[in-house]
Amino acid sequence: MTFVKTRPDAPSGFFEVEAAGLRWLAVPGGVPVAEPLDVSPTQLTTARLEYAPATAAAAEEFGRRLAVTHDAGARYFGVPPDGWDGDGYIGTLPLPHAQEPTDSWGAFYASLRIRPYLLPGLERLCERLEAGMYDDPSERPARIHGDLWSGNVLWTPQGVHLIDPAAHGGHRETDLAMLALFGLPHLERVLRAYNEVHPLLVHAELFGGGYVSQALNVARRY
C-alpha cells in the first residue's frame, strides 16, 4: 500500500528535496523513514504507514535510533541531503542550504536559519552566533531531520518512523529542541535513551577499543 502527497502548484524542487532527505536519513540502525517510492514535481509517493499508540518502549527505541541517525554525520553545517544541490523547504517556506562549507555552526545558523526570517530584535543574536559564542569545536555536523516536531514523528506498530523532513547537516540539538518545543509523548524516555547511546558512539569513533564493544552491548540489550 502507498501514500501519495499531491500539490499541483508545488514550487520547484518541493517534492524532490523531500524525497532526497528521506533517502539520506535512512541510515542503517537509525530511525526508519517513510520510504519514498516515486517522486515528480507535483507529487511524492511513499510506503503507507499505519498508526499505533505511542509507548514507552517505542520511545526509548526512537531515542537510541535517533542518536545513530545524527551520528551518520554530514559533510558540513548547512549541506543539503545527498542527491540534491539546491535549497529546500520547511513546511511551505523556503529553506536555504549552504552550497559550500561555512566557518562554524553559528555562522551557518545566523546566515541561513535566522536572517532569512529575521524579526526585530534578533540581529544581536545573529552577531553572537557569528562570534562563536554558542559553538562547540568538538561538535561535528549531524545528519538531522530539520523539522522534527511531534507531527513528523509517526508512531507505528513497528516503532517510530520519520516523515516530512527538512534534512540537512546541522546541530543535533536542533532536532532535540524541536521535539521538546511542541511536545512529544514519552519525551523524557526518548532523551534518556538518546543520551545513553550518543556518548558511546562518539567515543567508539574517536578511540575504538572497548568503547566499540560497550556501544554494541548497549544496543543488544534492546
Side-chain angles (χ1 to χ4, degrees):
M1 297 179 65
T2 61
F3 176 78
V4 181
K5 296 170 61 174
T6 301
R7 183 177 174 182
D9 62 344
S12 177
F14 185 80
F15 288 117
E16 293 92 336
V17 68
E18 180 178 345
L22 288 169
R23 296 186 188 103
W24 191 57
L25 292 170
V27 302
V31 187
V33 303
E35 180 187 1
L37 302 175
D38 187 57
V39 62
S40 76
T42 58
Q43 70 178 37
L44 172 65
T45 303
T46 65
R48 178 175 290 276
L49 299 170
E50 301 299 326
Y51 290 97
T55 66
E60 291 175 1
E61 182 182 10
F62 173 40
R64 291 188 292 270
R65 287 181 174 270
L66 184 59
V68 174
T69 299
H70 285 169
D71 282 304
R75 289 180 290 129
Y76 55 86
F77 291 116
V79 69
D82 290 350
W84 186 254
D85 58 9
D87 291 333
Y89 298 88
I90 183 164
T92 58
L93 294 176
L95 186 73
H97 287 140
Q99 299 307 316
E100 57 185 28
T102 51
D103 293 336
S104 66
W105 173 80
F108 146 69
Y109 204 79
S111 65
L112 296 181
R113 291 297 176 270
I114 296 182
R115 283 205 169 93
Y117 316 104
L118 192 61
L119 300 174
L122 291 183
E123 183 57 37
R124 178 174 171 78
L125 173 60
C126 288
E127 292 171 356
R128 298 174 81 176
L129 283 163
E130 290 168 334
M133 292 187 65
Y134 306 105
D135 282 317
D136 177 358
S138 67
E139 182 70 25
R140 67 188 183 93
R143 186 169 304 201
I144 69 170
H145 179 281
D147 191 16
L148 199 57
W149 71 291
S150 57
N152 288 337
V153 176
L154 189 62
W155 304 83
T156 82
Q158 293 76 40
V160 165
H161 286 62
L162 302 182
I163 61 173
D164 296 346
H168 62 277
H171 198 299
R172 65 185 66 250
E173 291 191 12
T174 302
D175 275 353
L176 300 178
M178 192 165 283
L179 286 174
L181 180 63
F182 295 109
L184 182 81
H186 307 292
L187 178 61
E188 290 185 3
R189 289 179 178 266
V190 173
L191 297 179
R192 185 167 62 243
Y194 183 99
N195 288 329
E196 181 181 25
V197 171
H198 172 59
L200 286 175
L201 290 173
V202 171
H203 279 70
E205 181 170 340
L206 290 175
F207 307 116
Y211 290 111
V212 175
S213 59
Q214 190 177 357
L216 291 173
N217 287 336
V218 168
R220 291 190 185 108
R221 295 211 312 259
Y222 306 100

